[in-house]
Amino acid sequence: ITYMNIINILTDDSLDTIKLQMIDYIIANDPNFPAEIIQMKLELLINNYSKISEDEKQKKIIEKKIIDIIKNKNIYQDLDKNYLTMLFKNANFQEGILMLYAMNEDKIGLLNYYMDNDMYNKIIAVTDEFGSKNSKYYLQILNYFLSKVNESDKSVFESYIKVLMNKINN
């Protein structure tokens, strides 16, 4: 019988608190606990995070627990990063997604995330890092802003384009 067998006996979502308590007990008492225990803890925390809609204080508490787990490099190395990315994206857990990109040093993923979520200032902030390594990134970012000019307020995007053009000229 494995830890996972015992925890999986509790199938009802209303028992998530008990599952988390069991997982915390295992982590505290078995220095050789399997990595899948942490993965399950993250799944349960994300599930709880997804269920909370209006209690911002409770959401922040769960966010901190998740981020603290991910920041632990000894634990992080054993986690399935692709699976976590999928979990975080499904839960719209922005802090977790950004943390995964940072921990994996996935700068392209980070830039694409900023573009997908129209985080204009963040895009501009990383242009030097990308453009100095390969000018094609400047073109990709420039094309992104040019495509936005037709969508809404031209003046906003024109200012971003001017900033970007100045960076390219330098």
Side-chain angles (χ1 to χ4, degrees), residues 83-158:
Y83 181 67
L84 285 179
T85 302
M86 182 198 66
L87 276 178
F88 292 171
K89 283 183 178 180
N90 286 341
N92 197 25
F93 180 42
Q94 182 175 352
E95 291 298 318
I97 295 167
L98 295 174
M99 179 62 66
L100 287 176
Y101 286 139
M103 296 286 291
N104 292 332
E105 297 181 8
D106 182 358
K107 296 176 191 264
I108 302 303
L110 185 62
L111 179 60
N112 286 327
Y113 182 83
Y114 291 156
M115 288 179 174
D116 290 344
N117 291 282
D118 297 328
M119 301 171 84
Y120 310 124
N121 290 328
K122 298 277 189 181
I123 295 167
I124 291 294
V126 299
T127 55
D128 288 335
E129 185 175 347
F130 290 104
S132 63
K133 293 178 182 167
N134 187 338
S135 61
K136 289 179 184 176
Y137 291 120
Y138 277 132
L139 294 176
Q140 179 187 3
I141 296 166
L142 183 59
N143 282 331
Y144 168 80
F145 282 118
L146 288 171
S147 72
K148 294 290 184 181
V149 168
N150 297 327
E151 290 182 13
S152 60
D153 185 12
K154 281 186 174 186
S155 63
V156 171
F157 297 108
E158 287 172 350

Side-chain angles (χ1 to χ4, degrees), residues 17-49:
T17 303
I18 294 171
K19 287 181 185 179
L20 283 169
Q21 289 171 346
M22 290 174 70
I23 289 170
D24 287 338
Y25 178 83
I26 292 165
I27 292 169
N29 291 293
D30 184 353
N32 299 315
F33 64 87
E36 57 197 10
I37 291 291
I38 295 294
Q39 195 94 8
M40 179 177 265
K41 182 174 183 174
L42 288 168
E43 288 173 17
L44 291 167
L45 289 171
I46 284 293
N47 189 32
N48 289 343
Y49 176 86

Side-chain angles (χ1 to χ4, degrees), residues 52-82:
I52 299 170
S53 59
E54 297 187 18
D55 188 352
E56 286 299 317
K57 185 177 180 183
Q58 188 64 29
K59 255 188 154 158
K60 290 290 180 194
I61 291 169
I62 295 173
E63 283 178 10
K64 183 177 177 354
K65 287 179 182 180
I66 294 168
I67 296 298
D68 287 346
I69 292 170
I70 294 172
K71 281 184 177 178
N72 184 326
K73 291 181 181 177
N74 294 329
I75 292 173
Y76 183 75
Q77 68 189 5
D78 294 329
L79 298 174
D80 181 343
K81 283 77 170 175
N82 292 327

